[in-house]
Structure formats: structure tokens, C-alpha cells
Amino acid sequence: MEPSRPRHAAQAAIPDDVRARVLPAVLDELACWGVERFSVEAMAERHNFDPAIIYRYWGDRHRLIVDFAVGDNEALQSDIDTGSLRGDLLALARHVADRINTESGRTFVRALVMDLRGRHDQETRMAIWREQFAAARTILARARERGELRPDVNTLAAVQIVMAPLNVYALYSEEVIPVEYYTALADMAWHALTAR
């Protein structure tokens, strides 16, 4: 059982060498055990490091998993700004597909699937979704400001139009997500969301 940590504790800056050692171990553990059965102590033992490192820099397993999941969200928010809704949706679809097309990306998507044998870690899953949703919501906010978005668009549904099919692809196929597929998704989303 992991030690209790205050949620508001300040997170220390994580050295690059610590991050480079810990995050591959996180993926390895998630691939084997999923979110429910992920254990900091078991991970540390299997990968030969002191669990105190995790608690010092991340505080708890929840923050560690969320950090692993959304590590590139800041880059996503700043990089996806093409000046048009259509271009931004395509850039978003490409970003998500590129991540899923890596071994670690596909493994992680599958690790998030609920395992009925373990305790459901809904808090961790929701934190990951909130972070990913925040990054994608920026695209729609800019489109709204430019007058490109229909006024009745549901932001959550709009984001899921692009992201959900890509995640389903990762769950059911080992094949690389082709450019034609994610381009078609972005185009369909643009047709559904754009103001006429």
C-alpha cells in the first residue's frame, strides 16, 4: 500500500534522468497490470529503484500515471494553431494518431481499459481525460473566436468526434493508423462543426 500524500503538496522539479528512468517503467507496468493493479512499490522493485523517488517527485501513483499520459499536452496546445478550424482538427488528429502509432502510445490506450477484476481507478482516468480534453478544447475556443464554429456545438462531443475513433482503432487493431483515415475523421468533424 502506498503512503498517503497531501494532494496540494508542491511537486518538485523532476530531473531529466529521473524522468527518463521512471516513465519507461510506468509504461511497462501499465502494459502488464493496467491502471487498476498498478503499484509503485512493485514497479520500483521490478525496475530496481527506490519507491521514495516516485513519492518525492510525483507524490502518488495517480499523479505519476497522469503525468505519463499527458506529458506532451503543453506542446499539443501550443503547436496546434494553424489559423483555421479545419487545419487545427487535422493537426489534432495527426498528433493523436502519431502517438497511438507508437508502441508506447498503443500500449497506454489499452492499459486504460477498465479491468473488472481490479478496483476501478476512475479518478485517474478522469484526470487523464480532463487534461486531454483541455488541450483539444483550446482548438474549439479559437475557432469560436474566429466565428468558424456553429453556435450550438457541444464541446465534449466535438472533441470525441476526432479522438474516440482513433482510440477505438488502437484497441482493436495492431495496424498503423493511416493518414487517409485520420484525415477523413478531421474532415468529417470539420463538416459537422463549422458554421455555414
Side-chain angles (χ1 to χ4, degrees), residues 47-164:
H47 294 271
N48 300 311
F49 56 79
D50 185 346
I53 291 171
I54 303 302
Y55 297 119
R56 176 179 176 193
Y57 291 111
W58 283 275
D60 58 25
R61 65 184 286 284
H62 169 82
R63 283 196 206 166
L64 176 64
I65 295 170
V66 172
D67 183 46
F68 175 84
V70 300
D72 63 348
N73 269 11
E74 284 185 20
L76 171 63
Q77 285 179 296
S78 59
D79 290 350
I80 298 182
D81 189 1
T82 66
S84 74
L85 175 60
R86 192 173 208 160
D88 287 356
L89 289 169
L90 178 57
L92 172 65
R94 182 185 307 115
H95 176 88
V96 174
D98 285 350
R99 187 164 192 193
I100 288 173
N101 282 337
T102 65
E103 183 180 349
S104 62
R106 191 160 301 214
T107 298
F108 185 71
V109 168
R110 291 175 176 175
L112 288 177
V113 175
M114 287 190 173
D115 178 355
L116 296 178
R117 295 169 296 174
R119 65 179 178 81
H120 287 193
D121 197 341
Q122 189 65 15
E123 181 186 1
T124 300
R125 284 189 178 83
M126 289 309 297
I128 291 166
W129 170 242
R130 279 192 299 272
E131 292 286 341
Q132 291 175 339
F133 178 64
R137 186 176 53 205
T138 304
I139 291 169
L140 299 177
R142 283 195 298 256
R144 211 171 247 120
E145 288 171 9
R146 291 189 300 256
E148 293 180 272
L149 210 59
R150 283 186 6 225
D152 60 339
V153 164
N154 177 292
T155 304
L156 176 60
V159 171
Q160 289 177 332
I161 288 172
V162 176
M163 295 178 77

